[in-house]
Structure formats: C-alpha cells, structure tokens
Amino acid sequence: MSALPPCILHIGSDTACYGCEYLGDPRSAGRLSCTRRRLDGGQFLFMQGDARSQIFVVKTGTVRLFKMLDTGKRQIIGFKFAGEFIGLGPDAKHGYSAQAIGETELRVLQAAVFDAVAANDPQILWKLYEAVATDLARAHELALTIGRRSAAGSMAAFLLEIEAHTGAHAGSTATLSLPMRHADIADYLGLTHETVSRLLATFRRRGLIAASGRNGIVLKHHALLRALADGHPIGALAG
Amino acid sequence: MSALPPCILHIGSDTACYGCEYLGDPRSAGRLSCTRRRLDGGQFLFMQGDARSQIFVVKTGTVRLFKMLDTGKRQIIGFKFAGEFIGLGPDAKHGYSAQAIGETELRVLQAAVFDAVAANDPQILWKLYEAVATDLARAHELALTIGRRSAAGSMAAFLLEIEAHTGAHAGSTATLSLPMRHADIADYLGLTHETVSRLLATFRRRGLIAASGRNGIVLKHHALLRALADGHPIGALAG
DNA sequence: CGAATAATTGAAAGCATTCAAAGTGGGTGG
DNA sequence: CCACCCACTTTGAATGCTTTCAATTATTCG
C-alpha cells in the first residue's frame, strides 16, 4: 500500500479526496501533500505554455480546458468535474489552458514531488495511465463529434455525454446540470453560441428535453437523442 | 533494467524494435515476446469493440485509426507510422478500429502478458504513460483543427504536423510522404475528399507546396502555411 | 435600479458539401 | 505489350447548413 493521499489512490473516483487532509499531517512529511485552493469563475488554474509545476483535483465546481488560435478562436477540449484530475502528463509545460467556470474548489499537488513519488510506484503509475487513457478516449469521441456529426447530432451527443458522466444510468429522468455557458458548449462542439441556443430551443420545442430550473435540463427522449447522435436525421429537425 | 524487448523499452522511438528477435529467445521464456505480422492495404489490425487481446508496434508502413457513426461517416483519429504503438490502454475492448494503409509490417504483443509485466514495472509504466499522453496531446490538437480551423487552415496544419512528425527540422525542404489517400486526409480533418483535392490544388497553384513524385510533397512556404494554420486568412486563398 | 453579460431570435451571407462528370494512373489479363 | 477496368483524383455547378451580423429580451450583479 502506497503511503499516499486518497486523492491520488482514487484517481477518477468522484468521492475521492474529500476527506484528504494531508497538509501538515506527519505521515506526509517529506512526501506528497496536497493543499487547497478556491477559485472564482474566470480564474485560471494555469495557461497554455505555463510550466507544469502543479496538478489539480477538482473538489467542487467545473473547469474548462481549452486551446486557442492566434486569431482568438477557442476550442474547449474538455470539462472537468468533481473528482477529476487536471494537468497530468509527462511534459514540462501545459499544452492547454485550464479555467474555472464559476466558483471552484481544488486540491493542489506539486508536480515535481508527485512525479518523483509516482515514478517508483507501479500502483500510482497504473492509475495515471488509466486516467490519461480515459481522457484520450474522450478526446477521440470529441473528434468524432466535431468532425462528423451534424450540429444537432453534436448537441445530442453532448447531452448524452453529460448524462453518462453524471453517473445516472442512461434512461433515467434525473435533471442534468449544465454549469457552463452556451458559448462554452459551442466552443466544445465546434459551433457558435447562436447555434447552440437554436438547437436547445428546437430540442425543447420537439419535446426531446425540458428545462429544469436555472441550469437544469431533463432528457425526455433518449432514443431520439441517441439516434440523432448516431447520425440519423429525424425528419427535418428544423421545426 | 527490465528484461524486456527493446521495442517496449523504446516506445515512441522510430528505430526501436527493428532488431528485436525475442521470439524463441531463451531470455524471453515465460515472459514477453513479440511476433511479426505482415498486412496488405485495407486489412484490419482490430476493429472497434474487439477484445484488446494484442497490441502492436508499426515496423514499416502506415496505419489509420478511426471511429464510425451508424450512418457510415468515418472520423480518422490518427495515423500511425513506423515505431509507434497501437492499441495501448487499460480497457478490455478497443475503442476504435485500426487498418493498414498499404503494405505494413508489425510487431505483435499479447496484451495479457504485456499488461502483467507492465503492471509491476515502473519503467515500462512510465513509457506507457508518456505514450498515451503524447496521443492525448495530438488528439487535443486534432480537436482544435477540426473545430476551429478553416478548411485551408486544417490542411496547412496537417501538412505541418506530418512534417514535424517526420522529424525533419521545420523549415527544411525535404520531401514529405503522404501514403494515405485524399479520403483519409478528409476523414481526419473533418472535410470531404473533394475539398482536400481543391485545397491541395490551390496550395500548389499559390506556390505553398510542390508535388514530388507519386505521394510526395515539398513544403515551399512554411511561414504562410503556419499563418494559415494559425487562423490568418491570406487574402482570399480561393485563387 | 441600472449597467453589463448572456441568451434568444431573425435575416442574409458564405464556406464547404453534395451531386455530377470527366480525367488519371496502376494493375490485370488477354 | 496493349487494352481494359477499377479506384482514385480532379473539376464544375448548385445546394444548404451553419455562421455572421444585427437587434431584442432576459438575467446577473453591484
């Protein structure tokens, strides 16, 4: 058993790290310890090109990861929710920026220490391997979405992805929380925020989804959303 | 030092594995060994959903990795060249298909054995971590390309990516080999093969590139290609 | 309550696609 | 060796999906 904080040993687990109080704990002396940080919406965890000096675990809130072109066009490459790691990788610099969406609580680890500990611990390395592989599978799915799905198909795939990530067994009627703005969804799916607005309005009108409170959405017709995501037209959805 | 084939210890190195002859070697008895396989163009290494029973290293040739929608639309998520690993990951099933482009020679490893050996070897695990992280960074770049670059910008980014991968110091005048068909490039960049053809024709007409033999291309104007990839218009390239 | 940010909706424009057809090249078999 | 065939590439024209531009409404926050 590694003498490491639970937040490391349970990478990817939603409930991990919440009781982790290694800072100042004698067990962690000279080893890995994690500190806390609270960020307001819009604040950066790090920016593309920054030295990878720290890695993070989201405790509460949501973080957007993105890359930008010279011209200012932004591509969001992922959203990170509670329990997820941010900033993993062997590189010396971050390849993308990470920014809080709304108020966010984080656990912070020093990358140098973390890497040194991990480098000799197969258990941790396997966790890292799994975590990065999970991100990779998601990135592949994103490429499929952006590159080959229609705008409506992308939107449907996004809603189903969020639902799946929420852990809710597909087909449930639970309310999904969409903490990000339309512009974020647009920059994730390769669309514009106007198109996202129109698509959500259409989905609502057609009864595919229903609004639920401030940022809430309920999926009312999984089969049709799935069909859309799979590339089927669903007779002139423009209605 | 791990008692493992060079092809494992040098993941990502172009020249690795070429002299690896562990099959039948007493040193590898009961341990990891790799076999050879030769594939013709169009043959599959594995298909999406297949059990991940084997992993591969490309010796010669090129492999395309892709996902498909029900409707047949295909998104290529990466090309794999000599020296690169295919099929890594902790999952029980492959999340995408892998298919040879033209004649291809491979090294084949049994996943179960490989995983068992790797799971206790920090040196190998770190290599896997690096390999998957590299793929992840590429997938993020692909998302940026598909989602936020214009067709011309995507094409320029693709050419520069191939050049960078070839190892040629950017700015050289060496000939790039494009072993894949236009349809492959199109399915990688989220375009159609007609658009790829038009774009390459335009780049040639404008002197950005020059043909060189059957599948060869020479980049003649890196600065302009870079500018295009960065999102700059370059005055109505339609000429 | 007022300013600023975000979302919605409409109308027009554009970029890439789709549909269509001709051209090219390599491989095979007579 | 040449003709034929097939797959890929190229080019043209028209369509259309999404974007862009613009204006209004809603919401947040000081």
Side-chain angles (χ1 to χ4, degrees), chain B residues 83-95:
Chain B
E84 296 190 286
F85 259 75
I86 296 173
L88 293 183
D91 298 329
K93 296 186 177 186
H94 291 292

Side-chain angles (χ1 to χ4, degrees), chain A residues 123-141:
Chain A
Q123 190 181 8
I124 297 179
L125 279 175
W126 188 263
K127 291 283 185 188
L128 296 180
Y129 179 44
E130 285 182 328
V132 178
T134 298
D135 282 352
L136 178 58
R138 275 202 230 169
H140 287 160
E141 190 64 31

Side-chain angles (χ1 to χ4, degrees), chain B residues 158-169:
Chain B
F158 173 72
L159 294 175
L160 292 170
E161 178 194 341
I162 294 293
E163 182 189 49
H165 189 75
T166 303
H169 19 306

Side-chain angles (χ1 to χ4, degrees), chain A residues 98-126:
Chain A
Q99 188 181 26
I101 298 178
E103 190 175 286
T104 300
E105 289 179 87
L106 302 163
R107 296 285 173 175
V108 187
L109 295 142
Q110 296 308 309
V113 180
F114 181 78
D115 288 353
V117 171
N120 296 305
D121 189 323
Q123 190 181 8
I124 297 179
L125 279 175
W126 188 263

Side-chain angles (χ1 to χ4, degrees), chain A residues 37-226:
Chain A
R37 190 180 305 171
R38 176 184 297 262
L39 260 43
D40 289 328
Q43 289 192 292
F44 282 86
L45 285 71
F46 53 81
M47 296 185 76
Q48 180 169 2
D50 283 356
R52 199 178 65 83
S53 59
Q54 300 178 317
I55 59 184
F56 305 85
V57 182
V58 180
K59 190 182 175 192
T60 64
T62 312
V63 175
R64 60 175 156 248
L65 311 181
F66 65 91
K67 296 168 77 83
M68 284 187 71
L69 295 179
D70 282 6
T71 44
K73 284 174 177 288
R74 181 181 68 157
Q75 177 64 48
I76 290 183
I77 56 178
F79 297 105
K80 290 293 184 180
F81 305 98
E84 296 189 288
F85 259 75
I86 296 173
L88 294 182
D91 298 329
K93 295 186 176 184
H94 291 292
Y96 49 84
S97 300
Q99 188 181 26
I101 298 178
E103 190 175 286
T104 300
E105 289 179 87
L106 302 163
R107 296 285 173 175
V108 187
L109 295 142
Q110 296 308 309
V113 180
F114 181 78
D115 288 353
V117 171
N120 296 305
D121 189 323
Q123 190 181 8
I124 297 179
L125 279 175
W126 188 263
K127 291 283 185 188
L128 296 180
Y129 179 44
E130 285 182 328
V132 178
T134 298
D135 282 352
L136 178 58
R138 275 202 230 169
H140 287 160
E141 190 64 31
L142 179 61
L144 177 64
T145 294
I146 304 174
R148 287 304 180 218
R149 286 196 240 252
S150 65
S154 296
M155 194 70 235
F158 173 72
L159 294 175
L160 292 170
E161 178 194 342
I162 294 293
E163 182 189 49
H165 189 75
T166 302
H169 18 309
S172 76
T173 68
T175 294
L176 296 184
S177 167
L178 297 182
M180 68 291 291
R181 313 181 303 195
H182 286 184
D184 290 325
I185 299 175
D187 284 352
Y188 182 59
L189 299 177
L191 305 171
T192 62
H193 68 93
E194 293 97 327
T195 298
V196 169
S197 177
R198 276 186 254 268
L199 249 17
L200 288 175
T202 302
F203 282 13
R204 245 181 274 121
R205 214 174 306 126
R206 291 298 201 88
L208 298 188
I209 63 174
S212 169
R214 186 67 197 93
N215 302 320
I217 278 191
V218 179
L219 306 193
K220 309 290 278 189
H221 201 324
H222 289 77
L224 226 43
L225 289 169
R226 171 51 54 199

Side-chain angles (χ1 to χ4, degrees), chain B residues 180-183 193-194 197-198 201 204-205:
Chain B
M180 67 291 290
R181 312 179 302 193
H182 286 183
H193 69 92
E194 293 97 327
S197 177
R198 276 186 254 268
R204 245 181 273 123
R205 213 174 307 128

Side-chain angles (χ1 to χ4, degrees), chain B residues 14 23 68 82 103-104 107 117-118 130 159 180 204 212 218 221:
Chain B
D14 255 16
L23 185 61
M68 284 187 70
E103 190 175 286
T104 300
R107 296 285 173 174
V117 172
E130 286 182 327
L159 294 175
M180 67 291 290
R204 245 181 273 123
S212 169
V218 180
H221 201 324

Side-chain angles (χ1 to χ4, degrees), chain B residues 137-155:
Chain B
R138 276 203 230 168
H140 287 161
E141 190 65 31
L142 178 61
L144 176 64
T145 294
I146 303 174
R148 287 301 179 223
R149 286 197 240 251
S150 66
S154 295
M155 193 72 235

